[in-house]
């Protein structure tokens, strides 16, 4: 229910401010094409940043995108665990929990 509400809010603002959202999407495309990193690596990097700022919605988004780019649940978990000495144990555990919200939905029979 919470995810649907956030998606509704996102869609409403996207419709209300199409130029702004178009510019943000264009920036994302430009960044992805600016260097040698593949989509999976970019999503794991952005996942780490989302975890660091404790953004549950961004963690959900980047886990979804990482899975779509071919990352495994184990790679996602490892990328978050590797942040422990940088962002701290409690923040990592929260991010793992948020990641599993998405991974659980992505796995068959869950």
């Amino acid at each position: 229910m919470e995810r649907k509400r956030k998606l509704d809010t996102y869609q409403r603002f996207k419709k209300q401010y199409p130029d702004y959202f178009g510019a943000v999407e264009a920036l994302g495309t430009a960044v992805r094409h600016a260097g040698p990193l593949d989509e999976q690596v970019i999503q794991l990097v952005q996942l780490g940043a989302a975890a660091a700022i404790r953004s549950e919605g961004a963690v959900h988004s980047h886990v979804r995108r990482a899975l779509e780019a071919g990352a495994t649940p184990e790679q996602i978990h490892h990328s978050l665990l590797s942040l422990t000495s940088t962002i701290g144990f409690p923040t990592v555990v929260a991010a793992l929990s948020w990641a599993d919200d998405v991974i659980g939905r992505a796995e068959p029979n869950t």
Side-chain angles (χ1 to χ4, degrees):
M1 184 64 131
E2 178 72 19
R3 180 173 182 265
K4 182 179 177 350
R5 188 173 57 103
K6 287 179 183 177
L7 244 140
D8 290 345
T9 300
Y10 175 83
Q11 293 300 331
R12 181 170 46 89
F13 283 128
K14 187 173 182 178
K15 189 173 184 176
Q16 188 174 356
Y17 303 106
D19 292 343
Y20 171 80
F21 278 85
V24 170
E25 289 170 3
L27 175 61
T29 299
V31 167
R32 285 191 297 281
H33 293 101
L37 298 179
D38 66 26
E39 187 66 17
Q40 181 179 317
V41 171
I42 289 170
Q43 293 307 323
L44 292 173
V45 168
Q46 290 182 328
L47 172 60
I53 64 169
R54 298 186 58 88
S55 175
E56 181 178 0
V59 168
H60 286 164
S61 177
H62 290 294
V63 167
R64 265 192 313 279
R65 292 175 188 192
L67 290 168
E68 289 168 3
T72 65
E74 292 79 13
Q75 288 172 315
I76 290 167
H77 287 157
H78 188 214
S79 69
L80 292 169
L81 290 170
S82 71
L83 299 170
T84 302
S85 64
T86 306
I87 67 173
F89 177 77
T91 304
V92 167
V93 170
L96 287 166
S97 172
W98 300 331
D100 282 349
D101 290 344
V102 174
I103 291 168
R105 285 193 298 263
E107 291 177 349
N109 301 322
T110 56

